[in-house]
Structures are given as C-alpha cells and as structure tokens.
C-alpha cells in the first residue's frame, strides 16, 4: 500500500512475463556461448591457464597482437588526420548544405562491408582502376601495390572508421560557442592562434571520443584484414578464425577470443567514462 | 559567419580539399560498383567501355548466387519478425514497470552491440557444434535475433519515451484492459519506431557476415558469406552485379529509415 | 453542506498520500453526492491532482478508504472503476479519427457496431461537432479537441467525470464559453462531476460546491456563496475574491458584542462563527465592495489618502493608504458622471459593521 504505483505501470508479473522470452534467448544465445568460450579456454581435460600461458609465449600470437595494435592505432591516426578537416569543413557549412555533405559521410555506414571491400579491390588493386591509369600514363612501367598489404588494410579500415570519427568531432565543434571566436577576433587574434587556442582545445572531447570509438571498432576487425590485407597483416580476429578452422585448436581459439573480449571490454569501459555508452553501433564488424 | 579555422585562404583551401578528398573516398567505394556492373563482363573496368546486362544474367542464372540471396532474404525476414515479437514487449515492460534490476536486463539486451562479433561467432560455433545447430537456418536466425535485438530495443525505447503516457492512462480510465491498451493505444503510437527498428534489423541481418561465416555451411550459405569467399578466392565480375543489387536495396532501406525518422520529427 | 439526503457517488474516508517525505495529501474526508458538480480549488501544489488521481486509481492511497458508488474501490484497478476523465492536454488518440476516439470506450464495452454509431453520433450532436467526425484530432483547434474529449467521456455515461484543469490550455474567451458548455452538459445529463482548477472565477461560475485545498488539506468547503461571503480562514478569504484584512485584538463587551482593537482604531463586528476569546488575536475581513468612500467619520471608518484609482469597466477600485502605512481597497460601482477621486486626496474608507467578519489569525509562516 505504501509503495506508489501508477495506472500506466505494468504489474511486476506482467512485466516479468513480457521480459522472460527475450531474457531467455539472450541468456541462451549470448551469455551461454560467451561462458562456453571462457570455459573452453580454461578446461581441456582439466582446469588450467595453459592456453593463456602458451599464447603469451607464442610468437604468432604476439606478432598478431602487435599487428592489431599497429593497424588499429595507425588506422585511427589516419582517420583523425583526415576526419578533423572534414569535421571542420562540415561545421563551417550552413545547415542545409551540411545535411547534404553528411549524406556522403554516412553513405558507407549503410552499404555492406563486402561491397566496399570489393570496390576497394576494384579501385586500388593491382589490376584496379588506379593502377590501370598509372600503367596507361607511364606506358606500363608503373604499378603501385596498394592492396593485400598494410596499405590495403588501412584504406579499408578508414573507409569504415571515418564516419564515426567525423561525427564525433563534428558534435563538439557544433557545440562550440562561436562568440568565443568572435571575441578572440575582436581582440586581434589571428586565424592560426584562434585555431590553436580555441577551436582545437574545445573540440578535444570529441577527438578523444572519436579516437576511442575508432580503436574499439578496429581492434576486433575481421573482414577488412582478411580481404584487403596480406599474410603479414593478420589481426586478432583472424587469428581466432585461423585457430578454429585451420589448426582446429579450439582451446587456443577460445583463449585468443577471451583476450580480445577483455581488451575490447576495457576500451568500451574507457569510452563509457569519456561519454555515454551510446554510439558504439556495430563494434567489431 | 565566424570561421572555426580562420579566414586565411591557404587554411581554407587546405581544409576543403582534404574534406573533398574524403567525401570522394567515402562515396566512391559504395557507388562505383554500379557502373562496373553494367560493363564488360570479362573484366572489371571503369569507365565501362561497353554496356551489358551479362553480369546480371549470370547472377540470376547461377543457383549458388541466387540460392544464397534467397537464403539471406529468408533469414533476414525471419530474424526481423522474431526480434520484433521478442523485443517490442520487452522494451514496453522495461519502459512501463518498476522492476528492480531493470538496468541489468537493459544492459543484457544492449550487450551484443559491445562484444566483438568474432567472439560471438566463435562462442556460437562451439555451442552449435555441440547442439547440432551448425548449418541450420534456425540456428542462424537465432544468432541474428541476438545480434539485432539492441537496435530494435534502442528504436522502440526511444519511441516509448516520446509516446504519451496520458493516453494509456485515459484508456485505462475508460475501462480498457492492459491487452487492449497495448494493441490499440501503444502499438499504433510506436508504428514508426518499430518500422525503423525493423528495417535496421533487416539490413543488419542481410549484411551480417562474420557470425554467418562461422555458423553456415553449404546448405544455408547466405549472400554475404558467398560474397566473402568469392572476393577472397576468385574475384569474379559477377560480384559487381551482386554488389549493385545489395547497395540499391541497402540505400532504399536507408532512405526509408531516414524518411520515417523525418516524419516523427515533423509530427512533434 | 454535503447533501446527505442523496446517496454519495464518491466517499473518501481518511485518505492520505505520501511520496517519501512529502505529504501530498493529509487525511482527507470528502463526500460527493450523485449529480453534484464539485470543484477542487487551490493553489498549485495543494494536492488537487493527487486527490483526483486517487479517485481515478492512477495512484493508490497510503492510508484510508475510497468508496465509489457504494463499492470499496481503494484497490480496484483503474479500468474497473467506471469513471471518465478529461485532461488539460485533451489526451485524444492521435492515430484515431474523432469518431474512433469517441467510439473507443464503447468498443471496450463491447457495444454493437450500430449502437456505437448511434451513440457517437448523439454525443457529437450534443457538442455540435458532427461535421468533424472523420478528422484527426490534430486537425482541430484546442477548444474543439477539448469538446471531443468531453464527448468521449459523456458517450459511455460514466458514474463520475473527473476533470483536471481541463480549460487551462485555452484562452480566456474560449475558456468562458467552455465553462458554460460544461455547465450545460452537467445540467442536461446529470452526471456527477469533480472538477479541478486553480482559477477562483472558474470555481465560482461552475460549482454546486467548492472544496478549497491548501497544503494537502481541505481548508473549507461549501457553496460558492458560502466560500465568498462566509470564509472561515484568512486563507479562504484571500484565495477567493479580494479582501481587506485588519489585524487586532478581540474585545467582548458586557452585552456580548464583539469588537476588534486595531492600529487603525476600534471596530465593532458581528460575533464570529467559531468562538474567539477576548484578548485573542484576530483579523477583521471587509470585502472591498462593502467599503465606500465617505466624507465624515462614521461608526466604522478609517482615514487615509488615495494612492491610486483604477477603472475596471463597471467598477472602480481605490487604493487607500492609511495612517499606519497599511493599505485598503475600496470598490465602488462606476456611474456615469461619477466625480473622480484624486490621487493624494484625503478620504475615509467606511463600512457597515455588520459587513465585517472576524477570522482567526493566519498561522505563522
Ligand atoms: N509523483 C510524485 N512524487 C513526489 N511528489 C509528488 C508527486 N506528485 C505530486 N507530488 C507532490 O505532492 C504535492 C501535491 O501535488 P499535486 O496534487 O500535483 O498538486 P496540484 O494538482 O494541486 O497542483 C506537491 O507538493 C507535489 O510536489
Ligand atoms: Mg495539478
């Protein structure tokens, strides 16, 4: 009686009834397989951390881990380097024009990663459009390998990462109070000083969030390194697949997956600290 | 207007040329497949030097391509339906009850968005190989329901937040039962949020490749899996036709979503 | 005052509502007779909505009993109380046409298609909006929407219609029209109505009985006349109509005649309804329209000078500053050729002692 309730509130039993089916599915299809993965990494006839010890001393795993960090951080930096000017450009547009440009920015977000991978091969591959053009101009002597190597992975990666970076930075640029700039100008500050002293520092939260989102998204990449990288560009996700299908070592595969899960969990937590946990759509595609 | 990056010509020129480079880089890969698909069937070529529908003929007559397309559409439809049936009532219960532990359940429903798909792919692979669900449509649909749940949740929860609780109250005062209120008052208000969520879930399932790659075999191979192995092993020009069809479908769905979201904003 | 001859439609027995530390409603007893038009009047936050929502079942009381139509409804679900409710923001279903909106409660009651059609038609006729049956609510004006929401209530003939500031969103002119329309519907249909407002004029215009709320309690209840002419507290006096309040100490003469000793003089007054002892503090209430400008000293009058005079159409208001710095309001009828009082002019504010009313002093704070 003392507890307040309202006519628009469901009774606890009704609520439970409505929540039960989805909860059951999520426990069965999400929590159970995650638990099974952890279990498989720890139990192989008996309980042990052997799989993790082996991983830590495996040159393959360490190399793949280094690749993963190099590619994720490299891709993020390139994405920041290009994303920031795009965000500046968008922020400087009148709203209608900005919407039009934003459609272009969001386009890759809607199209299949496979379509984009295929197209990138068709454009940047050895027989791709750019090399066809270079060969034509140079009379057949010039061919720049841009696919199936590190460059290819980074190209594919930033095509996927850029929209997230741009939107994140744009958010903080649009929130920036333009009167600050006006004030600085009236005090005689030049454009460079305004950028360094006002625009850049005030957009740093957006930059930080964008960087974290990019690293989080790229750390679990699977399709892009598999299709656009070479043998040397294997990332952690590809290693999971490699252990699962090539060597049939499910214990190692599980341990690798758990390592990735922890890594990405830490990044998500960090990102959650920086801003709300929303906006992480499609983590690890 | 105040310039964020000053009014120097050099700075502006630099910024806008870098921006345009990015716009092109972002747009071209999504659209270039379209002209290529109508070109030379023997070789990937741009600009195409001839017009031909040969690649489309190849696509529609090759059972492997066509079959995986149909399979993908079936999986996406079933996934969307099942996710709606499970997630809409759950979202309603979360929004309109004061159960302790609601936050935890909401976290559970949003979790698939935050876990790297490869981890889910492996976990489901281990689970399904024990349970005999590998290479079954039901197994894949179940996995996709899990993956698409957060997206429908987000859409429906925000719809519920914007819907008017007073209408449910007034219906209740007029004597309507909980069930009637849900179907006659709540659902009609959520129409657009549900449609947006459903389209999003459909597209996600249609495009999903990593989990499908782990869980499907020859019997249940979906279009993205077929595309993945084709890009990996043969790089056939038919891919251009497939990609074009997929892109057109994706963009139509995207337009639908954007148009409907615009409609909800306009009605406020 | 509670019309105890007719059976009660609603009866609240010691009903209270707490939200944590906040006492939204202290123990309230209230009875509403069948067919009565009762208004809950009070300032914002005084617990009107809480009281209404308790009757509707949208919230459950912390203690007490609610009886509706002879049935204990304290824990009855909202949808089984057989009530109707009109909200300030109309609460019409945006996805339904006007017809469908009004038909909804009839559908709930499983009436036949033909009967629904007939009843909805009648209801629309009653509010003279038959021509908008096929429109969506958002295509109508605010006043029309509120009439539709009234029709939606009336159509299923609920035992009691609750209205929470239903006219709050409308402009003054429309509000006055709607007040008359609601009164007319009440008279024609005889449905019991419980109406919430913070507007005293609205309450005075519409009600059979006003229940004045203050800080989660019932301050006073009675007919509009009673509340206006016989307020029992300073709060009632100040909330309804405007008042001149002169504080002082009570004196009771040998003959039992009451008088109040104030900073402005000693004034005779009728005996109070609730006994006040000699020597106690009290407040003398005189309504502005019971005061007049006088030239000479009369038994009850106060000297001062006119600070301002404002013309309100049919009446004039004079603000008189007294010697002790307090100020009085005098309201007189405006007549053609009335000799205007001038700012700064020395005057006397006079009244008939029998128009004064002794009230207990306002509680501190
Ligand atoms: N859900 C609630 N939680 C806490 N306090 C509330 C709630 N609803 C109302 N109150 C408090 O109860 C008191 C009475 O509110 P209400 O009945 O809405 O007043 P009125 O309708 O007369 O303006 C107010 O002090 C208000 O702050
Ligand atoms: Mg209120």
């Amino acid at each position: 009686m003392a507890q307040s309730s309202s006519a628009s509130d469901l009774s606890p039993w009704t609520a439970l009834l409505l929540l039960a089916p989805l909860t059951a599915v999520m426990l069965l299809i999400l929590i159970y397989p995650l638990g099974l993965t952890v279990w498989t990494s720890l139990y192989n006839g008996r309980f042990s951390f052997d799989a993790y010890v082996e991983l830590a001393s495996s040159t393959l795993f360490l190399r793949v881990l280094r690749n993963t960090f190099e590619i994720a951080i490299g891709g993020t930096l390139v994405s920041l380097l290009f994303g920031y000017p795009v965000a500046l450009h968008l922020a400087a547009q009148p709203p209608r024009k900005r919407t039009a440009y934003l459609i272009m920015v969001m386009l890759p977000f809607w199209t299949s990663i496979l379509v984009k991978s295929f197209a990138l091969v068709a454009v940047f591959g050895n027989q791709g459009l750019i090399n066809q053009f270079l060969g034509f101009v140079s009379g057949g002597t010039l061919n720049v390998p841009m696919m199936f190597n590190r460059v290819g992975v980074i190209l594919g990666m930033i095509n996927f990462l850029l929209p997230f970076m741009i939107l994140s930075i744009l958010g903080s640029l649009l929130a920036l109070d333009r009167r600050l700039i006006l004030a600085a100008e009236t005090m005689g500050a030049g454009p460079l000083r305004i950028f360094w002293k006002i625009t850049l520092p005030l957009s740093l939260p957006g930059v930080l969030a964008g960087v974290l989102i990019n690293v989080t998204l790229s750390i679990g990449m699977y399709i892009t390194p598999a299709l656009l990288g070479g043998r040397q560009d294997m990332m952690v996700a590809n290693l999971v697949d490699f252990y699962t299908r090539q060597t049939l070592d499910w214990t190692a595969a599980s341990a690798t997956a758990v390592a990735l899960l922890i890594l990405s969990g830490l990044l998500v937590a960090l990102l959650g600290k920086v801003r709300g946990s929303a906006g992480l759509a499609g983590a690890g595609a | 207007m105040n310039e964020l990056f000053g009014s120097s010509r050099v700075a502006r020129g630099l910024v806008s040329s870098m921006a345009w480079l990015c716009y092109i880089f972002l747009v071209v890969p999504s659209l270039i497949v379209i002209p290529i698909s109508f070109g030379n069937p023997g070789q990937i070529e741009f600009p195409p030097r001839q017009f031909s529908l040969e690649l489309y003929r190849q696509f529609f007559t090759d059972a492997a391509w066509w079959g995986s397309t149909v399979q993908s559409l079936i999986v996406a439809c079933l996934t969307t339906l099942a996710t709606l049936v499970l997630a809409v009532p759950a979202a309603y219960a979360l929004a309109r009850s004061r159960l302790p532990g609601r936050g935890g359940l909401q976290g559970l429903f949003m979790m698939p968005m935050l876990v790297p798909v490869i981890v889910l792919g492996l976990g489901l692979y281990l689970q399904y190989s024990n349970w005999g669900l590998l290479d079954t449509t039901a197994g894949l649909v179940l996995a996709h329901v899990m993956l698409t749940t957060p997206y429908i949740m987000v859409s429906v929860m925000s719809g519920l937040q914007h819907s008017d609780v007073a209408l449910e109250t007034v219906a209740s005062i007029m004597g309507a039962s909980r069930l009637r209120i849900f179907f006659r008052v709540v659902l009609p208000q959520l129409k657009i949020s549900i449609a947006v969520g459903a389209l999003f879930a459909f597209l996600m399932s249609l495009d999903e490749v990593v989990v499908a790659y782990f869980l499907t075999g020859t019997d249940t191979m979906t279009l993205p899996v077929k595309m993945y192995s084709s890009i990996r092993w043969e790089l056939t020009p038919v891919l251009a036709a497939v990609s074009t069809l997929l892109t057109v479908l994706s963009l139509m769905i995207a337009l639908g979503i954007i148009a409907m979201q615009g409609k909800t904003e306009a009605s406020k | 005052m509670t019309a105890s001859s007719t059976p009660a439609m609603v009866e609240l027995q010691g009903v209270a509502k707490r939200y944590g530390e906040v006492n939204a409603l202290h123990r309230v007893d209230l009875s509403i007779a069948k067919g009565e038009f009762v208004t809950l009047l009070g300032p914002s936050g005084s617990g009107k909505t809480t009281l209404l929502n308790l009757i509707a079942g949208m919230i459950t009381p912390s203690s007490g009993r609610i009886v509706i139509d002879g049935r204990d409804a304290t824990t009855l679900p909202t949808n089984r109380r057989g009530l109707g409710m009109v909200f300030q923001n109309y609460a019409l279903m945006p996805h339904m046409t006007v017809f469908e909106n009004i038909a909804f409660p009839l559908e709930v009651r499983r009436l036949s298609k033909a009967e629904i059609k007939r009843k909805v038609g009648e209801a629309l006729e009653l509010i003279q909006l038959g021509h908008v049956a096929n429109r969506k609510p958002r295509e109508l004006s605010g006043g029309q929407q509120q009439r539709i929401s009234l029709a939606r209530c009336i159509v299923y003939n609920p035992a009691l219609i609750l209205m929470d500031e239903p006219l709050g969103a409308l402009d003054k002119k429309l509000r006055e029209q709607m007040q008359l329309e609601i009164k007319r519907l009440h008279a024609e249909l005889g449905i019991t109505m419980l109406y919430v407002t913070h507007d005293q004029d609205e309450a005075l215009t519409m009600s059979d009985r006003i229940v004045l709320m203050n800080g989660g309690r019932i301050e006073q209840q009675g007919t509009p006349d009673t509340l206006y002419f016989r307020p029992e507290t300073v709060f009632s006096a100040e909330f309804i109509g405007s008042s001149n309040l002169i504080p002082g100490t009570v004196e009771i003469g040998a003959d039992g005649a009451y008088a109040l000793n104030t900073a402005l003089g000693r004034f005779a007054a009728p005996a109070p309804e609730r006994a006040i002892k000699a020597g106690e503090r009290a407040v003398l209430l005189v309504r502005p329209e019971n005061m007049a400008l006088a030239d000479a000293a009369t038994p009850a009058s106060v000297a001062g000078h006119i600070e301002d005079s404002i013309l309100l159409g049919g009446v004039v208001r004079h603000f008189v500053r007294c010697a002790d710095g307090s100020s009085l309001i005098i309201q007189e009828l405006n007549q053609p050729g009335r000799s205007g009082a001038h700012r700064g002019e020395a005057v006397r504010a006079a009244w008939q002692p029998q128009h004064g009313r002794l009230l207990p002093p306002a509680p501190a704070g």
Side-chain angles (χ1 to χ4, degrees):
Chain A
M1 287 286 275
Q3 202 200 345
S4 63
S5 68
S6 135
S8 56
D9 279 353
L10 292 166
S11 78
W13 289 112
T14 318
L16 276 179
L17 193 73
L18 296 180
L19 286 164
L22 185 62
T23 308
V25 167
M26 292 310 245
L27 290 178
L28 204 67
I29 304 296
L30 173 64
I31 300 302
Y32 180 85
L34 288 180
L36 185 61
T37 309
V38 176
W39 170 264
T40 310
S41 74
L42 291 174
Y43 188 85
N44 192 4
R46 64 185 180 85
F47 255 113
S48 73
F49 284 96
D50 292 355
Y52 293 96
V53 175
E54 264 173 51
L55 271 195
S57 57
S58 143
T59 46
L60 177 62
F61 177 75
L62 293 177
R63 206 188 73 219
V64 168
L65 201 61
R66 205 184 64 213
N67 280 349
T68 306
F69 280 119
E70 278 176 11
I71 295 173
I73 293 170
T76 300
L77 288 182
V78 178
S79 154
L80 176 61
L81 185 69
F82 283 88
Y84 201 99
V86 178
L88 275 179
H89 187 251
L90 287 168
Q93 304 302 320
R96 276 179 158 269
K97 258 188 159 172
R98 186 185 306 139
T99 310
Y101 287 129
L102 270 174
I103 290 175
M104 294 199 279
V105 172
M106 293 307 289
L107 192 67
F109 181 80
W110 294 107
T111 43
S112 155
I113 184 126
L114 296 163
V115 170
K116 287 177 292 183
S117 301
F118 167 67
L120 285 170
V121 173
V123 175
F124 293 98
N126 287 341
Q127 276 91 51
L129 307 177
I130 292 187
N131 274 320
Q132 282 177 27
F133 177 75
L134 289 178
F136 176 76
V137 176
S138 66
T141 54
L142 195 59
N143 187 303
V144 184
M146 288 176 289
M147 274 294 136
F148 316 117
N149 54 26
R150 195 54 62 94
V151 178
V153 185
I154 300 275
L155 278 174
M157 193 85 94
I158 57 176
N159 190 264
F160 174 71
L161 296 178
L162 259 175
F164 296 94
M165 182 66 85
I166 293 170
L167 289 183
S168 179
I169 299 174
L170 180 63
S172 51
L173 285 181
L174 289 180
L176 188 152
D177 186 350
R178 306 254 173 143
R179 283 171 305 182
L180 292 177
I181 293 170
L182 191 65
E185 269 180 344
T186 48
M187 288 185 272
L192 222 70
R193 184 184 298 271
I194 289 177
F195 180 79
W196 282 112
K197 292 285 177 189
I198 299 177
T199 311
L200 189 62
L202 288 179
S203 62
L204 279 185
V207 170
L208 185 60
V211 164
L212 277 175
I213 291 174
N214 273 4
V215 174
T216 311
L217 289 174
S218 48
I219 214 98
M221 281 268 197
Y222 171 84
I223 298 294
T224 306
L227 290 182
L228 305 183
R231 291 195 137 283
Q232 302 306 308
D233 304 308
M234 194 186 246
M235 290 176 72
V236 175
N238 309 102
L239 188 62
V240 173
D241 179 36
F242 174 78
Y243 281 135
T244 315
R245 287 164 192 261
Q246 308 289 314
T247 65
L248 304 182
D249 185 350
W250 291 1
T251 314
S254 299
T256 312
V258 171
L260 177 59
L261 186 61
I262 291 170
L263 194 59
S264 123
L266 290 176
L267 284 166
V268 169
L270 200 59
L271 184 60
K273 277 236 154 107
V274 171
R275 52 174 245 194
S277 59
L280 264 178
Chain B
M1 198 191 78
N2 296 304
E3 294 294 346
L4 292 161
F5 43 97
S7 40
S8 109
R9 271 170 179 259
V10 184
R12 297 177 68 173
L14 192 68
V15 164
S16 59
S17 47
M18 279 179 91
W20 274 103
L21 191 66
C22 284
Y23 296 145
I24 293 169
F25 176 67
L26 288 171
V27 167
V28 164
S30 298
L31 297 182
I32 198 167
V33 292
I34 298 171
I36 293 179
S37 73
F38 294 107
N40 187 342
Q43 190 201 340
I44 294 165
E45 206 177 69
F46 185 88
R49 277 169 227 155
Q50 61 183 93
F51 177 86
S52 134
L53 290 175
E54 171 61 18
L55 292 174
Y56 289 91
R57 198 194 59 76
Q58 283 177 24
F59 169 75
F60 283 107
T61 50
D62 185 333
W65 279 114
W66 184 232
S68 64
T69 308
V70 171
Q71 169 69 3
S72 270
L73 290 172
I74 289 173
V75 169
C77 286
L78 291 176
T79 298
T80 307
L81 272 181
T83 312
L84 281 180
V85 168
L86 289 167
V88 173
Y92 181 60
L94 282 183
R96 296 279 191 271
S97 76
R98 300 173 187 212
L99 279 185
R102 273 179 314 157
L105 280 182
Q106 192 165 343
L108 176 66
F109 301 152
M110 301 312 281
M111 200 170 143
M113 210 157 75
L114 304 176
V115 178
V117 261
I118 187 80
V119 178
L120 296 173
L122 173 67
L124 289 164
Y125 178 75
L126 298 175
Q127 177 184 12
Y128 283 10
S129 48
N130 286 339
W131 292 8
L133 278 174
L134 281 182
D135 203 7
T136 62
T137 301
L140 182 61
V141 168
L142 220 50
H144 278 188
V145 166
M146 180 266 290
L147 287 173
T148 54
T149 289
Y151 299 91
I152 290 196
M153 270 321 231
V154 166
S155 188
V156 174
M157 294 281 274
S158 100
L160 278 166
Q161 249 157 37
H162 290 124
S163 77
D164 188 357
V165 185
L167 297 182
E168 292 165 54
T169 308
V170 82
S172 177
I173 291 171
M174 290 189 284
S177 65
R178 203 26 103 170
L179 205 65
R180 184 187 295 268
I181 293 176
F182 183 73
F183 282 103
R184 288 281 279 148
V185 181
V186 177
L187 277 190
Q189 288 188 83
L190 291 181
K191 243 179 354 201
I192 290 177
S193 318
I194 289 176
V196 166
L199 281 179
F200 214 89
F202 183 87
L203 190 58
M204 293 256 321
S205 168
L206 194 69
D207 278 351
E208 199 286 319
V209 53
V210 177
V211 168
Y213 180 56
F214 271 84
L215 302 186
T216 59
T218 43
D219 289 347
T220 55
M221 185 181 283
T222 59
L223 185 64
V225 177
K226 169 87 178 128
M227 287 174 76
Y228 176 72
S229 37
S230 174
I231 298 174
R232 200 155 185 203
W233 305 118
E234 42 178 352
L235 210 64
T236 155
V238 179
L239 277 164
V242 181
S243 295
T244 300
L245 291 173
L246 198 54
T247 300
V248 168
L249 185 59
S250 302
L251 293 186
M252 268 162 39
I253 290 175
L255 280 181
I257 291 174
I258 292 166
M260 280 192 288
Q261 279 173 339
K263 213 161 129 189
T264 51
E265 249 132 64
S267 73
K268 295 252 159 69
Chain C
M1 237 36 269
T2 50
S4 52
S5 50
T6 40
M9 188 75 244
V10 179
E11 219 169 315
L12 304 187
Q13 300 164 354
V15 171
K17 179 67 187 176
R18 296 179 65 91
Y19 290 107
E21 290 299 292
V22 182
N23 257 320
L25 203 65
H26 297 270
R27 302 172 56 81
V28 161
D29 296 290
L30 178 68
S31 169
I32 298 169
K34 284 204 169 121
E36 204 179 5
F37 193 117
V38 174
T39 298
L40 295 178
L41 174 66
S44 171
S46 58
K48 308 179 298 287
T49 298
T50 304
L51 186 60
L52 209 68
N53 288 351
L54 282 166
I55 296 175
M58 282 148 68
I59 48 180
T60 44
S62 311
S63 64
R65 223 163 76 94
I66 299 172
V67 179
I68 298 176
D69 213 359
R71 202 161 51 136
D72 185 338
T74 313
T75 56
L76 201 64
T78 301
N79 60 356
R80 301 205 351 240
R81 296 193 179 201
L83 307 177
M85 188 151 179
V86 177
F87 290 81
Q88 178 170 13
N89 59 1
Y90 325 129
L92 294 172
M93 311 283 170
H95 53 284
M96 298 183 189
T97 63
V98 165
F99 182 94
E100 289 165 336
N101 262 289
I102 301 177
F104 183 81
L106 302 177
E107 259 174 54
V108 170
R109 286 164 178 72
R110 300 180 197 288
L111 266 61
S112 72
K113 275 235 159 63
E115 209 166 348
I116 289 179
K117 200 163 166 138
R118 184 177 60 78
K119 289 206 164 190
V120 173
E122 282 172 11
L124 280 169
E125 212 49 50
L126 208 57
I127 55 161
Q128 293 145 18
L129 278 179
H131 56 288
V132 302
N134 294 318
R135 296 213 208 141
K136 288 278 176 70
R138 80 170 72 89
E139 297 165 39
L140 304 178
S141 72
Q144 287 175 321
Q145 290 191 48
Q146 197 54 297
R147 276 148 79 197
I148 300 299
S149 114
L150 262 173
R152 181 176 65 174
C153 254
I154 287 162
V155 75
Y156 62 99
N157 200 28
L160 168 70
I161 294 182
L162 306 169
M163 302 192 213
D164 196 350
E165 314 215 6
L167 309 182
L170 306 179
D171 61 46
K172 189 168 166 5
K173 199 154 180 179
L174 206 53
R175 205 157 63 218
E176 283 166 4
Q177 271 178 26
M178 288 291 296
Q179 288 170 3
L180 295 180
E181 176 131 11
I182 292 174
K183 257 196 101 149
R184 174 179 68 85
L185 287 173
H186 175 251
E188 276 178 28
L189 303 169
I191 301 181
T192 317
M193 293 190 176
L194 182 57
Y195 189 99
V196 165
T197 182
H198 62 257
D199 178 346
Q200 47 151 321
D201 293 329
E202 197 162 285
L204 292 171
T205 309
M206 304 184 70
S207 325
D208 293 333
R209 179 155 55 106
I210 296 174
V211 175
L212 181 63
M213 311 258 321
N214 179 20
R217 295 175 212 273
I218 294 180
E219 182 83 13
Q220 187 178 354
Q221 50 176 311
T223 61
D225 267 357
T226 308
L227 261 90
Y228 190 78
F229 290 117
R230 290 162 52 204
E232 285 166 6
T233 62
V234 169
F235 177 86
S236 300
E238 283 192 308
F239 198 82
I240 296 176
S242 38
S243 350
N244 293 304
L245 296 165
I246 308 169
T249 315
V250 174
E251 255 183 48
I252 308 178
D255 54 353
Y258 277 75
L260 197 68
N261 256 324
T262 76
L264 297 171
R266 181 178 173 282
F267 305 114
E273 285 176 17
R274 285 188 202 154
I276 304 177
K277 290 199 195 84
E280 279 187 343
R281 306 284 303 163
V283 174
L284 179 66
L285 160 72
V286 186
R287 294 287 189 196
E289 64 270 26
N290 291 333
M291 280 198 175
L293 290 178
D295 304 324
T298 55
S301 72
V302 174
H305 62 270
I306 293 200
E307 203 164 55
D308 207 352
S309 289
I310 55 173
L311 184 60
L312 299 161
V315 297
V316 199
R317 274 192 177 185
H318 307 292
F319 295 86
V320 175
R321 178 71 65 186
C322 308
D324 71 336
S326 63
S327 126
L328 295 173
I329 305 171
I330 299 175
Q331 181 168 308
E332 292 186 313
L333 288 181
N334 192 9
Q335 307 284 358
R338 172 185 59 91
S339 65
H342 300 288
R343 189 168 297 183
E345 194 179 323
V347 293
R348 294 195 76 85
W351 67 93
Q352 307 285 333
Q354 72 266 25
H355 286 152
R357 193 171 164 78
L358 283 178
L359 302 175

